[in-house]
Amino acid sequence: MIAILEAKRAGLLTKAHWLNNLLSGVIVGVVALPLAMAFAIASGAKPEQGLYTAIVAGALTSLFGGSRLQIAGPTGAFIVILSGITAKYGIEGLQVATLMAGFILLAMGFTRMGGVIKYIPDPVIVGFTSGIGVIIWVGQWKDFFGLSPVPAEHFHQKLWHLLEAFPHFNLAATLLGLFTLAVLIVSPKVFKRIPAPLVAMVAATTLQAIFNWDIATIGSAFGGIPQALPSFAPPNMDFAEMLQLIGPAFTIALLGAIESLLSAVVADSMAGTRHDSNQELIGQGIANIFAPLFGGFAATGAIARTATNIRNGASSPISGVIHALTLVVIVLALAPLASKIPLCALAAILFVVAYNMSELHRFMHMVRTAPRPDVAVLLITFLLTVFGDLVIAVNIGVLLAALLFMKRMADAVSIEQQSHDTLQEEIEDVDFKLPQGAVVYALEGPFFFGAAERLESTLENIHSHTDILVLRMSRVPIIDATGLQTLWDLLDTCKRHKTRLILCEVRPNVLEKIRRAGLVGKMGQSNILSHIGDLTAA
């Protein structure tokens, strides 16, 4: 359900809740100010485009999303993808890709794929978020140290060129960057109610305005920020270019879906709410359709800003709308002051964002304590994210995790032979007699393609003196096409050896599949038993 309608039904739009949502929205808007500009610059866009994205996408996600407390806008996770798209196709190409991603997100929401996204395993998520954190950190060295632009496409090339350029760093930019970093670390302990990025940005901008060092600022690099609201300006869309942007658009949609739903889950755990994952994808789709039409680019749910929203007492989507209106007021009233903001200060803010995103403690904990195969998935996803491509990293990570899961499920399948004494004790019948030449096996676990080979290898030594083979299947919850084919092959083998095959205690859902496959007709209804105790009478 649309979150704002749910909030209205829950009575959260009444005047009694206005003050908390108003204050929280203002605080989140102030937090979003430096982050939106920093993320835009790092993505290859202009700083005001980051603000426009936060305004348009933030308001629309709050109005049409499925999470009551979600705050959307530019995020650090997108930097790696968006900067690559911008470098190759330009800012208009990025906006077209964002528009296309919006429609993909809409389709994902309407086809109810929200639940599927949530099943991406933790090693994959931690691997690619940590990899993104490393890429953002290295990507900000240029502005933090005042280095010359680096003409490199791949991470290892960029890293090498940055190391080569490092001896020529700008001392003033480096010192101001270090000062900003120190303020970011100390500020939360001193100014508990004021967002640390805002304190750091104001402090660094004030110093730059006083001493006017020869370092890059928003004014020198971008000519300042326009003191105006975003206007409707759809990007020029060329059909041939749109075909080339299908891949990047799917990348934006996939990562946007993952991050927005992760953010919604975090919001639920903090506030005790419950989001609608499909509606959230629809809301994010609407946001990404309209953001590029008003000068913005890709947006998704922002975990840090959503958490700030909740900590400051928000209870409804109104706080997200107020956050967008706060940015509108700031753009209209304070835009000229932004020209003195040093890029090294914004780089320092992104250093902290990269560290938080990397979840270093969680990454190291998983490396130390997780099973070795999971650690392998984590490290492969991490390395592919850093040195390869994010989408390839996620796809391969999910594929490896799925194969690992199937192996574990197959290993969990138990095929155990049961003796006469065991059966007699289980059914508590001293008169029970196992028929001469009968062999009983109990199956436990899903009978799918991963476990079929185990049954075949266990039962391949059926000898001619085995007159009756009984498979107890009460603990088989599912069976797939390969499992059914295995039963067909087993039935053929039993017929060659003149062995009678009996299926016992089959669950209704499994029995229905066996019946539809034609096995019951081939075996005969008399060879389907509801209880092992009926074996003597069979």
Side-chain angles (χ1 to χ4, degrees):
M1 183 179 180
I2 298 177
I4 196 161
L5 297 180
E6 184 207 1
K8 181 179 180 181
R9 189 174 63 179
L12 296 174
L13 303 186
T14 58
K15 290 183 180 180
H17 296 277
W18 284 6
L19 182 59
N20 283 345
N21 287 288
L22 176 64
L23 293 175
S24 179
V26 170
I27 291 171
V28 176
V30 171
V31 170
L33 175 66
L35 295 177
M37 291 190 292
F39 293 147
I41 294 170
S43 299
K46 296 180 179 179
E48 65 267 23
Q49 290 179 298
L51 296 175
Y52 298 162
T53 304
I55 291 169
V56 177
L60 291 175
T61 299
S62 294
L63 291 172
F64 298 104
S67 175
R68 189 187 300 171
L69 301 169
Q70 180 86 281
I71 299 295
T75 65
F78 268 152
I79 288 175
V80 179
I81 297 171
L82 304 190
S83 59
I85 297 173
T86 306
K88 189 171 183 179
Y89 300 101
I91 190 63
E92 280 203 324
L94 172 59
Q95 290 176 323
V96 172
T98 301
L99 190 67
M100 295 166 64
F103 284 105
I104 294 170
L105 284 165
L106 274 182
M108 291 169 68
F110 284 125
T111 54
R112 309 191 68 78
M113 291 183 63
V116 177
I117 300 293
K118 292 186 289 187
Y119 293 113
I120 296 179
D122 269 358
V124 177
I125 292 173
V126 174
F128 85 72
T129 53
S130 298
I132 290 171
V134 170
I135 295 173
I136 293 173
W137 177 58
V138 172
Q140 292 307 303
W141 287 8
K142 179 182 75 69
D143 289 333
F144 188 88
F145 296 109
L147 304 176
S148 300
V150 176
E153 182 178 349
H154 299 290
F155 175 82
H156 65 281
Q157 296 171 328
K158 182 181 293 185
L159 178 61
W160 179 251
H161 288 310
L162 285 169
L163 292 174
E164 284 185 325
F166 190 76
H168 308 290
F169 70 93
N170 185 311
L171 181 60
T174 303
L175 291 175
L176 188 55
L178 290 171
F179 168 77
T180 307
L181 202 56
V183 172
L184 285 165
I185 296 171
V186 175
S187 177
K189 303 173 184 176
V190 179
F191 306 103
K192 299 185 183 298
R193 300 291 296 178
I194 305 176
L198 179 67
V199 175
M201 187 183 71
V202 170
T205 304
T206 302
L207 288 177
Q208 174 61 21
I210 294 172
F211 295 102
N212 199 27
W213 290 300
D214 184 20
I215 60 176
T217 63
I218 285 182
S220 65
F222 302 99
I225 294 177
Q227 195 172 5
L229 292 177
S231 57
F232 181 75
N236 294 321
M237 290 183 281
D238 178 75
F239 183 73
E241 187 179 65
M242 288 176 65
L243 291 177
Q244 295 177 345
L245 288 168
I246 290 175
F250 269 101
T251 304
I252 293 172
L254 176 63
L255 185 56
I258 293 171
E259 189 171 9
S260 63
L261 294 179
L262 281 176
S263 180
V265 169
V266 170
D268 288 346
S269 64
M270 292 180 66
T273 55
R274 186 175 181 180
H275 75 279
D276 182 332
S277 56
N278 295 308
Q279 184 61 46
E280 181 61 26
L281 292 182
I282 292 171
Q284 294 292 342
I286 294 171
N288 280 280
I289 289 172
F290 281 92
L293 298 179
F294 289 89
F297 52 88
T300 186
I303 296 176
R305 275 161 276 171
T306 299
T308 302
N309 189 38
I310 296 168
R311 291 194 192 103
N312 285 280
S315 61
S316 78
I318 294 299
S319 61
V321 176
I322 297 297
H323 135 267
L325 293 177
T326 301
L327 289 172
V328 169
V329 172
I330 291 173
V331 168
L332 292 178
L334 304 175
L337 301 178
S339 62
K340 290 292 185 180
I341 297 175
L343 297 189
C344 60
L346 295 180
I349 292 172
L350 288 181
F351 273 10
V352 175
V353 170
Y355 175 78
N356 293 333
M357 178 176 290
S358 69
E359 295 188 286
L360 183 60
H361 62 287
R362 189 178 176 192
F363 185 94
M364 297 308 300
H365 178 75
M366 194 171 287
V367 168
R368 290 193 305 268
T369 62
R372 294 299 96 186
D374 288 316
V375 174
V377 172
L378 170 72
L379 295 177
I380 290 171
T381 306
F382 171 78
L383 292 174
L384 284 174
T385 300
V386 174
F387 294 102
D389 179 86
L390 179 62
V391 176
I392 293 175
V394 173
N395 288 340
I396 291 180
V398 170
L399 177 61
L400 291 174
L403 292 173
L404 180 60
F405 171 77
M406 286 185 284
K407 181 182 183 302
R408 286 170 173 164
M409 291 297 291
D411 291 343
V413 173
S414 169
I415 303 170
E416 180 183 356
Q417 185 174 352
Q418 295 185 310
S419 66
H420 172 271
D421 293 339
T422 301
L423 293 169
Q424 192 176 57
E425 182 179 348
E426 179 187 333
I427 63 179
E428 300 177 347
D429 184 358
V430 294
D431 296 327
F432 173 81
K433 297 295 181 184
L434 192 64
Q436 185 70 26
V439 178
V440 179
Y441 282 91
L443 277 60
E444 181 175 352
F447 194 6
F448 72 118
F449 62 90
E453 188 274 335
R454 173 170 292 195
L455 179 65
E456 290 176 342
S457 60
T458 302
L459 301 179
E460 65 183 2
N461 296 320
I462 298 175
H463 299 294
S464 56
H465 64 268
T466 302
D467 297 323
I468 303 173
L469 174 63
V470 182
L471 299 183
R472 299 184 69 188
M473 302 178 66
S474 62
R475 295 184 177 179
V476 176
I478 60 169
I479 187 169
D480 71 352
T482 306
L484 292 170
Q485 184 59 47
T486 302
L487 289 181
W488 271 109
D489 295 341
L490 181 60
L491 180 59
D492 291 339
T493 303
C494 288
K495 285 187 174 182
R496 285 199 305 272
H497 289 288
K498 295 182 171 51
T499 299
R500 181 183 177 189
L501 177 63
I502 296 177
L503 303 182
C504 183
E505 302 163 339
V506 186
R507 293 188 179 189
N509 63 308
V510 176
L511 182 59
E512 176 60 25
K513 291 183 179 180
I514 291 174
R515 194 184 306 279
R516 287 170 56 190
L519 274 163
V520 174
K522 190 74 171 178
M523 294 173 60
Q525 185 63 45
S526 61
N527 290 317
I528 308 295
L529 302 183
S530 59
H531 190 267
I532 189 64
D534 300 332
L535 180 61
T536 53

